[in-house]
């Protein structure tokens, strides 16, 4: 007998799970270093424009494809007759799996720093050299394994009892942590300079590169890689409100990113450090801040706990589309599948943990600049051209509190995929050095 497909237990549970996926290292670690590098507030203007132009629509597109087909991306493509769907459907699935492998490495760093702040060791190190030594040792492998075990444990319990339940607990806790850290940071002496950096834009800083960073940031941050949100959409019921939920998740995700900016920049400026220090911002710059701050050890612990929770709730959403294929398409048992995938992710994670260039390659180029937009386009084309925009609009409006008008059809058919195509082309050009971009 065919097993019944899992469903989210409640609307709140779904929103928490989707927020759990969206809010991740992308919001805290990547958002702050990108924003710092792109001139602070100047980054926010393209970021907000792209959020409304593509972010919210993107969530609707991916959830609608999943709910319409009651399937993850592979079976959705096969169902709607996408040419070569049974092969192309693997691209977004493999991509999210690669993201999972490198993401779990960085999550491991967060756990290490969380434990170090708890033990007090963080307060006595020299942050720069310490971080350098740590990432070039074998120790990250241990933390990688712990991160993967935590993810496998949650996913093995399934959609409702595993992912939804964990996110219903983790996301409110995350919000409390962000608020506490924000209050601490905003009340530091000299915080005003950081606040100004983050809210007063210098329009001359908005270059093409900043736009590209903003688009990349929105797609990654909303988990729009063509697999995660499709499978999350496939667990929705027809009475669930897709446009309303897309608005809540997109705005909620941005609110958390902005709050994280208010945690990081006032502190960075208060201690006279460089906001544009890049990916090491969270581990080197912030560690030296915590060392000097009153109550630093406690706040360091809260901060790295925040990073860990954010990463874990995103991890589970990266593993789910891969798990789902094996469970629904190949009819294997969930427990077995999650265990096996955890092991495979560890194997792929090994070179990421040990070789900096491999981590960079996966993190910036392959997965976010090239494979993610390919996944995004495949899903958009499948929905708009093969399911058909008319049926897609009926589906997105089913259970919706705000109905999408006729404009939605040409938008999803032409404009949305065209925007992703531009990102893909620029991504490929910058990969080959033809177009200058910092990612
Ligand atoms: N959205 C997550 C973040 O911001 C990352 C992610 C990407 C999660 C792709 C799932 C799929 O960190």
């Amino acid at each position: 007998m065919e097993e019944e497909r899992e469903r989210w237990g409640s609307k709140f549970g779904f929103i928490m799970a989707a927020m759990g996926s969206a809010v991740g290292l992308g919001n805290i670690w990547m958002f702050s270093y990108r924003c710092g590098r792109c001139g602070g507030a100047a980054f926010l203007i393209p970021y907000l424009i792209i959020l409304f132009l593509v972010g919210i629509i993107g969530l609707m597109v991916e959830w609608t494809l999943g709910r319409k087909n009651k399937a993850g991306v592979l079976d959705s493509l096969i169902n709607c007759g996408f040419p070569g769907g049974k092969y192309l459907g693997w691209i977004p699935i493999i991509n999210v799996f690669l993201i999972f492998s490198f993401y779990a490495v960085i999550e491991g760093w967060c756990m290490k720093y969380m434990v170090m702040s708890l033990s007090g060791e963080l307060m006595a190190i020299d942050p720069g050299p310490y971080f350098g030594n740590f990432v070039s040792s074998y120790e990250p492998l241990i933390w990688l394994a712990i991160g993967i075990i935590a993810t496998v444990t949650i996913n093995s319990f399934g959609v409702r009892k595993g992912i939804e339940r964990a996110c219903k607990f983790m996301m409110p806790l995350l919000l409390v942590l962000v608020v506490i850290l924000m209050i601490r940071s905003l009340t530091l002496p000299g915080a005003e300079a950081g606040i100004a950096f983050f809210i007063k834009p210098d329009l001359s800083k908005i270059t093409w590169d900043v736009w590209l960073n903003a688009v990349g940031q929105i797609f990654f941050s909303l988990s729009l890689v063509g697999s995660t949100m499709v499978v999350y959409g496939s667990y929705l019921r027809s009475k669930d409100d897709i446009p309303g939920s897309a608005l809540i998740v997109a705005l909620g995700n941005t609110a958390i990113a902005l709050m994280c900016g208010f945690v990081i920049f006032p502190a960075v400026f208060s201690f006279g450090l460089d906001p544009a220090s890049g990916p090491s911002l969270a581990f080197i710059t912030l560690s030296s801040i915590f060392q000097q701050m009153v109550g630093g050890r406690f706040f360091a612990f809260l901060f790295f706990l925040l990073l860990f929770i954010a990463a874990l709730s995103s991890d589970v959403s990266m593993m789910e589309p891969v798990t789902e294929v094996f469970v629904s398409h190949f009819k294997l048992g969930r427990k077995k599948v999650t265990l096996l995938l955890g092991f495979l992710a560890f194997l792929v994670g090994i070179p990421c943990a040990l070789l900096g260039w491999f981590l960079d390659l996966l993190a910036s180029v392959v997965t976010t600049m090239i494979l993610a937009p390919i996944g995004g386009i495949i899903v958009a084309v499948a929905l708009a051209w093969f399911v058909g925009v008319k049926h897609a609009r009926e589906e997105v409006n089913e259970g919706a509190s705000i109905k999408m008008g006729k404009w939605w059809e040409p938008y999803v058919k032409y404009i949305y995929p065209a925007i992703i195509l531009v990102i893909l082309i620029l991504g490929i050009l910058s990969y080959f050095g033809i177009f200058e971009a910092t990612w």
Side-chain angles (χ1 to χ4, degrees), residues 89-406:
W90 283 99
I91 296 178
I93 293 172
I94 293 174
N95 186 34
V96 85
F97 186 70
L98 294 177
I99 299 181
F100 175 47
S101 308
F102 81 73
Y103 202 86
V105 172
I106 301 168
E107 177 189 357
W109 300 351
C110 302
M111 279 190 278
K112 156 86 179 167
Y113 274 65
M114 182 172 87
V115 171
M116 285 211 310
S117 36
L118 200 62
S119 71
E121 195 189 339
L122 186 78
M123 308 312 279
I125 58 166
D126 186 353
Y130 187 91
F131 182 69
N133 287 337
F134 166 64
V135 294
S136 48
S137 72
Y138 286 101
E139 196 187 333
L141 288 182
I142 301 171
W143 298 103
L144 170 68
I146 300 174
I148 290 179
I149 291 171
T151 313
V152 167
T153 309
I154 295 175
N155 282 47
S156 66
F157 282 103
V159 176
R160 196 190 298 196
K161 293 209 186 98
I163 301 177
E164 182 172 343
R165 198 159 58 171
C167 289
K168 275 193 333 205
F169 165 72
M170 288 195 279
M171 296 322 283
L173 173 61
L174 181 139
L175 183 65
V176 173
L177 291 173
V178 179
V179 171
I180 299 175
L181 286 160
M182 193 170 70
I183 295 172
R184 167 76 271 220
S185 192
L186 288 172
T187 52
L188 286 168
E192 307 77 37
I195 301 173
F197 175 76
F198 195 51
I199 61 173
K200 282 207 196 119
D202 169 357
L203 298 183
S204 69
K205 296 238 164 80
I206 310 180
T207 57
W208 277 111
D209 194 26
V210 173
W211 278 95
L212 210 56
N213 267 279
V215 187
Q217 179 63 27
I218 292 288
F219 272 89
F220 188 78
S221 187
L222 290 177
S223 312
L224 295 173
V225 292
S227 45
T228 288
M229 289 306 185
V230 177
V231 81
Y232 272 26
S234 76
Y235 302 134
L236 285 170
R237 296 161 212 268
S238 51
K239 66 176 176 15
D240 292 322
D241 178 357
I242 290 184
S245 309
L247 197 66
I248 297 175
V249 170
L251 294 182
N253 178 59
T254 298
I256 301 273
L258 294 177
M259 286 160 86
C260 291
F262 282 116
V263 170
I264 289 166
F265 295 114
V268 169
F269 277 80
S270 165
F271 289 91
L273 293 167
D274 178 15
S277 60
S280 62
L281 183 70
F283 297 95
I284 301 178
T285 313
L286 289 184
S287 295
S288 75
I289 290 174
F290 289 128
Q291 290 179 342
Q292 300 165 58
M293 180 192 278
V294 181
R297 181 170 159 190
F298 173 67
F299 290 107
F301 172 68
L302 296 191
F303 179 75
F304 289 111
L305 175 64
L306 166 74
L307 273 177
F308 169 62
I309 293 175
L312 182 60
S313 60
S314 294
D315 272 346
V316 297
S317 79
M318 294 175 194
M319 195 170 197
E320 184 55 25
V322 198
T323 307
E324 192 268 351
V325 175
F326 288 99
V327 172
S328 308
H329 189 83
F330 295 111
K331 314 273 176 248
L332 300 173
R334 178 174 273 272
K335 292 235 168 0
K336 240 186 281 160
V337 169
T338 47
L339 217 66
L340 190 72
L341 289 178
F343 181 66
L344 276 179
F346 180 71
L347 292 185
V348 182
I350 293 176
C352 296
L354 300 181
L355 308 168
W357 63 267
F358 192 80
L359 181 84
D360 287 347
L361 181 80
L362 272 197
S364 57
V365 181
V366 184
T367 57
T368 48
M369 275 161 73
I370 297 173
L371 291 178
I374 292 178
I377 292 184
I378 290 177
V379 166
V381 170
L383 184 73
W385 298 72
F386 291 91
V387 170
V389 266
K390 238 174 104 41
H391 292 302
R393 188 159 74 93
E394 277 162 24
E395 181 70 43
V396 78
N397 282 340
E398 179 91 44
S401 50
I402 324 161
K403 302 258 190 255
M404 295 297 108
K406 203 91 191 98

Side-chain angles (χ1 to χ4, degrees), residues 414-430:
Y414 304 107
I415 301 179
Y416 178 69
I419 295 176
I420 313 182
L421 191 64
V422 173
I423 314 170
L424 176 63
I425 294 171
L426 292 178
I428 294 174
L429 291 182
S430 78

Side-chain angles (χ1 to χ4, degrees), residues 54-117:
V54 284
I56 299 173
I57 296 280
L59 285 175
M60 284 190 234
V61 166
E62 299 210 354
W63 289 340
T64 303
L65 185 74
R67 186 173 75 177
K68 174 91 191 152
N69 291 285
K70 296 188 182 47
V73 62
L74 181 69
D75 283 334
S76 291
L77 294 193
I78 295 173
N79 286 352
C80 74
F82 194 95
K86 69 174 183 212
Y87 306 108
L88 293 176
W90 283 99
I91 296 178
I93 293 172
I94 293 174
N95 186 34
V96 85
F97 186 70
L98 294 177
I99 299 181
F100 175 47
S101 308
F102 81 73
Y103 202 86
V105 172
I106 301 168
E107 177 189 357
W109 300 351
C110 302
M111 279 190 278
K112 156 86 179 167
Y113 274 65
M114 182 172 87
V115 171
M116 285 211 310
S117 36

